Amino acid sequence: MSTVALAVTDGMLHFELALVCEVFGANPPGGADPWYRLSVCGPGAVRAGRFWLEPDHGLDRLARADTVIVPGWADIGQDPPAELIDAVRAAHEAGARVVSLCTGAFVLAAAGLLDGKRATTHWAHTRELAERHPRVTVDPDVLYVDNGSLLTSAGKAAAMDLCLHLVRLDHGSSIANTLARRLVVPPHRDGGQAQFITTPVPAPDNHPLAGLLPWVIQRLDRPLTVEDLARQARMSSRNLSRHFRSVTGTTPLQWLLAQRIGHAQELLESTDDTVDAIAAATGMGTATTLRRHFHRTVGVPPDTYRRTFRARARPGPDDGGPHRRCPA
């Protein structure tokens, strides 16, 4: 069972605290066995917003966890507590995967863990993070950054995206999707997405594409075109593109490709199907086409992705270095 330690001190943001407890501390989604064992670690009773929290353990317990999560904290104008910085640094040196949510990145940066690495935080504080820690490459335009044993997220909803990303790494996309459905949140938003878009997002069942998107998801094995989508939606291709930009922030073809790639990732993780078979199941046509688009989108070829995911999801008995993963 993978242990997750939530590092808390006075001034932590209660949204991120509750989010971590909901994802890693609640009942596991069906099929997830074993699940995480969550502990809350702090120097004593701490205040988060209007709430008081009594930790289970002291900060020294962080060094015994597989994953350490540092939530956002309110007063970034002050240096993080030295005891928290030392405990987070010690945990990483002991081999823990260390994760920051929102402004928790200031703690990781103060511990020197992000030096020479790419990281993010809430867009409103990225400039200050970069100015205070010039050795950190701060990316203000992404939801989260995965450096392997060090991960950082932007604020609020992006913190949920990163938590689901961790579940997906540890247990696979099927379990992560089941959990996302229970939480009523999108199952997967790639970390490279922008932190915010200028157009409002409509209610899930109250937009012109509400009937079309599920229809497409059920037919990813077919060679769908923009014209096919427009015909199903009973609108012109031009109107379809306009609505897609408003609802999803991208074009119909880009959205469709993202769904195909996502489905390919699920099949690579959960089946032994050949790349040719997966190309057919995702509507990519040929293995060559799938490999080209997959490599460009994900950053590695499908075969490498499958090997990497299974190595993470099923560590051997000697696995325990600085990039530990819990068993699937």
Side-chain angles (χ1 to χ4, degrees), residues 76-107:
I76 61 170
Q78 300 292 325
D79 291 333
E83 58 185 338
L84 175 62
I85 294 172
D86 292 341
V88 169
R89 185 189 297 115
H92 187 255
E93 291 174 351
R97 175 176 62 181
V98 179
V99 180
S100 69
L101 306 179
C102 193
T103 51
F106 282 82
V107 177

Side-chain angles (χ1 to χ4, degrees), residues 97-99 145-151 166 169 312 322-325:
R97 175 176 62 181
V98 179
V99 180
V145 175
D146 182 348
N147 287 308
S149 63
L150 292 165
L151 302 92
L166 295 174
L169 288 175
R312 284 175 166 177
H323 198 178
R324 291 176 292 182
R325 295 288 187 241

Side-chain angles (χ1 to χ4, degrees), residues 237-247 252:
S237 297
R238 182 176 180 180
N239 279 340
L240 179 75
S241 296
R242 180 170 57 83
H243 286 303
F244 253 92
R245 179 66 69 179
S246 174
V247 171

Side-chain angles (χ1 to χ4, degrees), residues 96-246:
R97 175 176 62 181
V98 179
V99 180
S100 69
L101 306 179
C102 193
T103 51
F106 282 82
V107 177
L108 274 60
L113 303 184
L114 300 180
D115 287 354
K117 293 181 172 60
R118 182 168 157 263
T120 194
T121 187
H122 191 289
W123 61 267
H125 306 296
T126 51
R127 176 176 294 181
E128 183 167 357
L129 180 63
E131 290 175 350
R132 289 169 60 177
H133 301 281
R135 297 183 64 183
V136 180
T137 301
V138 180
D139 190 338
D141 298 321
V142 296
L143 296 177
Y144 57 84
V145 175
D146 182 348
N147 287 308
S149 63
L150 292 165
L151 302 92
T152 56
S153 86
K156 304 304 179 186
M160 174 65 81
D161 292 317
L162 180 51
C163 288
L164 288 174
H165 175 68
L166 295 174
V167 173
R168 191 171 188 271
L169 288 175
D170 295 340
H171 292 279
S173 54
S174 178
I175 295 298
N177 290 346
T178 299
L179 178 59
R181 284 193 295 272
R182 189 173 77 186
L183 298 173
V184 198
V185 296
H188 178 64
R189 290 199 299 170
D190 183 77
Q193 286 187 224
Q195 289 196 24
F196 61 90
I197 58 176
T198 56
T199 54
V201 178
D205 297 320
N206 187 28
H207 60 78
L209 305 181
L212 177 65
L213 302 187
W215 181 87
V216 175
I217 294 297
Q218 295 171 5
R219 293 165 176 79
L220 291 177
D221 59 328
R222 304 182 187 182
L224 298 172
T225 65
V226 173
E227 289 72 24
D228 294 328
L229 271 60
R231 189 179 305 111
Q232 176 65 24
R234 297 180 180 177
M235 61 180 67
S236 68
S237 297
R238 182 176 180 180
N239 279 340
L240 179 75
S241 296
R242 180 170 57 83
H243 286 303
F244 253 92
R245 179 66 69 179
S246 174

